[in-house]
């Protein structure tokens, strides 16, 4: 026998095209999950040279104020032993800034990161070397309260879509023609899976849902109910269920067609805060908010923090003012982004949630 050269692993678009050719069109959620798993596993997408910038990458003030918010809850809960948990920590910047602020308040918890991307785990290990990593929330410790942070995590989780065609709602699937991926209407779905208030929406309407997000919130809320602690979810979103397609792709700081180039651009969908809040309450957590990110950071004292930093480093005054504006102004991240807290049994109400 002669040695044949190893066949390289086919690229994600080829793998997806082959799967669709053999097995038929796939749900939008399956396409999004495969695309994002590949996307995050193969790069660090954050920052000026990447595809998008997140709040903790804009300024250290974001993570610091979240750290103070957590330390205040911990203090008023009687300063118990607990764990810091972050879902999808990116480069670890938020955690690093929050842990520094918490340490100043006397809180130095063990750190747990839920992260699937090897590339980002490596970046996180640079920022927070003593962290422990988890593939999902099921392996998080059970012995003490949890302080959980998720910034721009839930928007990366897959959404299903249904689309109204004529008199019926159909699941939206992704088909493949030659090398092009495109959305099509699949089988009609039973009426009872369509939220009642939306059943008569106009032809062409799309409704999204994220069972993966709901499952994670349920698991977190059950933990908070059993163990105590709190979770802070910050993301862009709406109060659903509602009609509207929010699935979007970002590449090099601009928008792109979400069905093009799977695995090479960031796919997100807006987070349905009302549905997540409902599930959290059903699972035993108290829900506070969501409130606009600008209001949340304002009440936590971002203006004072920016002024203090500028006094210490006068040459950075302009940058700090610009970061403050980007994080809080309604035309930037101040209004579209919102913060929501889940609070465990016996824990106090959080600050800055109205
Ligand atoms: N929170 C960071 C990064 C946001 S990007 C910040 O604000 O800068 C989304 C993050 O979620 C990345 O770290 C990505 O690798 C991670 N992620 C995406 N899907 C995930 C999944 N299913 N499980 C765990 N982590 C996931």
């Amino acid at each position: 026998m002669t040695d044949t050269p190893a066949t390289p692993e086919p690229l994600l678009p080829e793998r997806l095209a082959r799967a669709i050719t053999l097995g038929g069109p796939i749900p939008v959620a399956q396409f999004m999950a495969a695309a994002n798993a590949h996307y995050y596993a193969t790069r660090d997408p954050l920052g000026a040279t990447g595809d998008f910038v997140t709040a903790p990458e804009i300024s250290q003030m974001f993570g610091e104020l979240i750290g103070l918010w957590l330390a205040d809850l911990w203090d008023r809960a009687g300063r118990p032993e607990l764990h810091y948990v972050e879902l999808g920590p990116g480069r670890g910047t938020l955690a690093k800034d929050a842990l520094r602020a918490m340490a100043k308040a006397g809180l130095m918890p063990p750190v747990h990161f839920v992260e699937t991307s090897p590339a980002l785990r490596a970046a996180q290990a640079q920022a927070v070397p003593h962290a422990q990593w988890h593939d999902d929330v099921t392996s998080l410790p059970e012995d003490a309260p949890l302080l959980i942070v998720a910034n721009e995590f839930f928007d990366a989780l897959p959404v299903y879509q249904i689309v109204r065609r004529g008199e019926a709602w159909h699941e939206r699937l992704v088909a493949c023609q030659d090398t092009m991926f495109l959305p099509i209407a699949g089988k009609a779905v039973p009426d009872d899976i369509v939220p009642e208030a939306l059943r008569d929406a106009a032809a062409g309407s799309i409704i999204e849902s994220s069972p993966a997000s709901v499952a994670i919130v349920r698991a977190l809320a059950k933990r908070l109910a059993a163990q105590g602690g709190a979770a802070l979810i910050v993301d862009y979103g709406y109060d659903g269920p509602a009609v509207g397609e929010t699935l979007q792709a970002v590449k090099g700081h601009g928008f792109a067609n979400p069905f093009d180039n799977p695995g090479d651009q960031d796919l997100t969908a807006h987070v349905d805060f009302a549905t997540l809040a409902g599930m959290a309450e059903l699972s035993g957590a108290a829900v506070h908010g969501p409130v606009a990110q600008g209001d949340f950071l304002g009440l936590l004292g971002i203006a004072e923090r920016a002024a203090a930093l500028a006094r210490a480093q006068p040459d950075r005054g302009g940058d700090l003012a610009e970061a403050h504006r980007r994080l809080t102004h309604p035309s930037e991240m101040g209004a579209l982004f919102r913060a929501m807290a889940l609070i465990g049994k016996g824990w106090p109400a959080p600050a800055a949630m109205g």
Side-chain angles (χ1 to χ4, degrees), residues 40 46 52 54 56 88-90 114-117 120 151-153 156-157:
Y40 283 110
L46 291 149
F52 58 94
T54 55
V114 177
E115 176 61 68
T116 41
S117 158
L120 287 171
N151 185 62
E152 288 209 47
F153 169 73
L157 299 185

Side-chain angles (χ1 to χ4, degrees), residues 33 36-37 39-41 43 45-47 52-58 62 86-95 113-121 124 134-137 149-158 212 216 234-235 266-268 333 337:
N36 270 355
Y39 176 78
Y40 283 110
R43 76 205 72 205
L46 291 149
F52 58 94
V53 177
T54 55
E57 301 298 333
I58 290 175
F62 186 76
E86 199 173 323
L87 312 183
R91 288 178 173 166
T93 308
L94 193 167
F113 287 158
V114 177
E115 176 61 68
T116 41
S117 158
L120 287 171
R121 279 188 181 200
Q124 291 154 20
H134 300 259
D135 292 329
D136 57 53
V137 299
V149 176
N151 185 62
E152 288 209 47
F153 169 73
F154 285 99
D155 63 70
L157 299 185
I216 290 174
V234 184
D235 228 309
D266 183 43
L267 293 183
T268 64
M333 301 179 80
F337 281 78

Side-chain angles (χ1 to χ4, degrees), residues 195 197-198 207-209 237-244 270-278 290 338:
L198 309 178
I207 302 171
E208 296 176 340
S209 62
Y238 61 104
D239 290 317
V243 161
H270 288 211
V271 171
D272 177 355
F273 278 102
T275 295
L276 297 187
R338 293 194 286 168

Side-chain angles (χ1 to χ4, degrees), residues 123-332:
Q124 291 154 20
Q126 299 277 315
V128 187
H130 63 285
Q132 296 170 55
W133 281 266
H134 300 259
D135 292 329
D136 57 53
V137 299
T138 57
S139 58
L140 291 171
E142 294 179 350
D143 62 340
L146 305 175
L147 290 180
I148 305 165
V149 176
N151 185 62
E152 288 209 47
F153 169 73
F154 285 99
D155 63 70
L157 299 185
V159 292
Y160 284 86
Q161 292 183 335
I162 54 176
V163 58
R164 174 97 179 180
R165 278 287 139 81
E167 286 305 295
W169 289 88
H170 297 254
E171 184 175 11
R172 208 162 183 230
L173 303 174
V174 180
C176 183
Q177 270 174 11
D178 305 324
T179 55
M180 293 261 297
F181 297 93
L182 68 167
I184 61 162
K187 286 198 311 279
V189 297
D191 254 8
D192 58 2
I193 79 152
V194 184
E196 206 170 338
L198 309 178
R199 279 186 200 154
D200 295 326
S205 298
I206 287 173
I207 302 171
E208 296 176 340
S209 62
S210 178
S213 300
V214 171
I216 290 174
V217 162
R218 177 167 47 213
L220 297 180
K222 281 187 177 163
R223 290 301 200 93
L224 296 176
Q227 296 170 224
L232 179 68
I233 297 172
V234 184
D235 228 309
Y236 40 95
Y238 61 104
D239 290 317
V243 161
E245 176 171 35
T246 72
L247 177 68
Q248 65 183 27
V250 165
K251 178 80 190 160
H253 301 271
F255 289 108
N257 179 342
F259 300 104
D260 284 347
N261 306 316
D264 200 36
Q265 48 190 26
D266 183 43
L267 293 183
T268 64
H270 288 211
V271 171
D272 177 355
F273 278 102
T275 295
L276 297 187
M279 178 50 74
E281 276 169 349
L282 263 179
S283 309
V287 176
H288 296 257
V291 295
Q293 175 171 302
D295 295 339
F296 179 66
L297 296 177
L299 287 168
L300 290 177
I302 192 170
E304 293 77 4
R305 182 73 188 133
L309 288 170
R311 274 196 300 279
Q313 295 166 284
D315 55 319
R316 286 188 58 217
D319 292 349
L320 286 157
E322 169 66 5
H324 176 198
R325 195 185 66 83
R326 283 179 72 186
L327 292 173
T328 60
H329 197 276
S331 69
E332 301 265 358

